[in-house]
Amino acid sequence: MKTSDSPILKSIRDDLQSFSSLENPQGFLPDFFDWVVREWSLRPFYATEIVNYGYDLTHYPQKTDYLLREKSKTYRDFIHANNGHHYVNFLPDHGTSCATMEKNLYEFFHESMRVRALAFLEENYPEMEAEVFWNQIFCEDFTRREDLLICEEINEKFGFYGLSAEPYLCSYHPEDGERGFYFDHWELKDFRAALKSYKNNGGKISPSERKRYQIILKALSPNALKKPLSQNGAIA
């Protein structure tokens, strides 16, 4: 009888949890900085056109001659900006809605977790087919209950729209207070400085940048923040 895969699954879950942690400056954080700088610097700015057909409101992305960096001054503006795509919305009186850069970040986060997991498996379990095993996790291709429960946890945290990506967003959850507002007031120059610090120090966050980052985390922690901030959708 095949033995349980739960030890391997748990090791993947624990490694991804550490790698994705906002408090780990050697994990996903530098990749996140790089993604933000690249997307914020080069993407075009899309306005949101609203058309009233009498029975619903349809939202369309409208490309402009501006770049996103010219219109989005803070990370909150950037991550909630129109990404140029729209989708069918089943809310009352809505036809389609415009997607925001949040969706792009969720996709980038999930792919980053996949690449990390494959590298982890190849290093620690070289006898396994890393890609096949990773795909099995998301197909729940296991029979033991303990294995399935861990797969479900990995899926929820690191799959598409994974919960572990939320600290990198500006999502407001009333039940959780102010969690998730770590970067909302950062400007593009702040991300560039953090990324430059990382690259100039051989893939490590410099002591000064680490201290600055820790101060920001402390200042913007859920317990430190008092005034609720509103969440806006795509920039019109």
Side-chain angles (χ1 to χ4, degrees):
M1 178 180 288
K2 187 179 184 299
T3 59
S4 172
D5 288 306
S6 60
I8 301 175
L9 292 168
K10 287 179 180 178
S11 67
I12 294 173
R13 177 201 61 193
D14 294 345
D15 181 72
L16 291 181
Q17 192 65 58
S18 173
F19 179 75
S20 65
S21 174
L22 188 64
E23 298 179 0
N24 180 6
Q26 310 304 140
F28 174 68
L29 189 66
D31 295 334
F32 167 69
F33 288 157
D34 183 73
W35 178 85
V36 171
V37 170
R38 181 175 65 252
E39 297 292 327
W40 200 346
S41 299
L42 302 176
R43 269 189 173 268
F45 174 76
Y46 290 88
T48 301
E49 180 181 355
I50 303 176
V51 180
N52 188 344
Y53 288 108
Y55 51 88
D56 64 31
L57 294 176
T58 300
H59 297 67
Y60 292 106
Q62 186 67 43
K63 189 175 181 180
T64 72
D65 293 330
Y66 296 100
L67 291 175
L68 193 51
R69 68 171 182 262
E70 297 175 275
K71 289 292 186 177
S72 298
K73 300 306 180 184
T74 67
Y75 179 71
R76 170 177 285 278
D77 297 332
F78 160 77
I79 202 65
H80 290 153
N82 190 324
N83 72 355
H85 299 280
H86 65 293
Y87 58 93
V88 175
N89 192 328
F90 296 101
L91 293 174
D93 302 323
H94 281 70
T96 62
S97 293
C98 292
T100 69
M101 290 301 298
E102 285 182 317
K103 184 176 186 297
N104 299 62
L105 178 56
Y106 273 122
E107 292 173 348
F108 177 71
F109 179 84
H110 173 66
E111 178 61 15
S112 297
M113 296 305 108
R114 186 187 73 86
V115 171
R116 171 68 182 190
L118 295 184
F120 176 82
L121 286 169
E122 289 169 358
E123 180 179 352
N124 294 277
Y125 303 96
E127 72 282 359
M128 299 181 62
E129 293 186 56
E131 187 98 35
V132 172
F133 192 81
W134 175 255
N135 291 336
Q136 286 178 318
I137 293 175
F138 290 90
C139 293
E140 297 187 350
D141 191 16
F142 297 89
T143 56
R144 293 176 178 269
R145 176 173 170 76
E146 58 182 329
D147 294 348
L148 289 171
L149 288 175
I150 303 171
C151 287
E152 183 179 350
E153 184 180 359
I154 293 174
N155 205 323
E156 288 180 351
K157 290 183 175 180
F158 311 110
F160 291 107
Y161 298 103
L163 295 177
S164 292
E166 287 193 0
Y168 297 93
L169 302 169
C170 290
S171 302
Y172 178 59
H173 300 277
E175 68 276 13
D176 296 331
E178 298 287 349
R179 187 187 68 176
F181 290 102
Y182 298 117
F183 300 104
D184 64 334
H185 291 304
W186 277 37
E187 298 179 11
L188 178 56
K189 64 182 180 181
D190 297 313
F191 286 97
R192 283 173 171 162
L195 183 61
K196 182 178 180 181
S197 169
Y198 178 81
K199 291 181 176 180
N200 288 347
N201 285 277
K204 297 181 179 180
I205 301 294
S206 68
S208 60
E209 193 66 28
R210 180 190 293 268
K211 183 177 180 180
R212 171 178 175 270
Y213 176 66
Q214 289 172 340
I215 291 173
I216 291 171
L217 280 182
K218 183 177 180 180
L220 296 178
S221 65
N223 293 331
L225 291 167
K226 302 297 182 182
K227 184 179 179 181
L229 300 175
S230 63
Q231 180 184 7
N232 296 320
I235 298 176

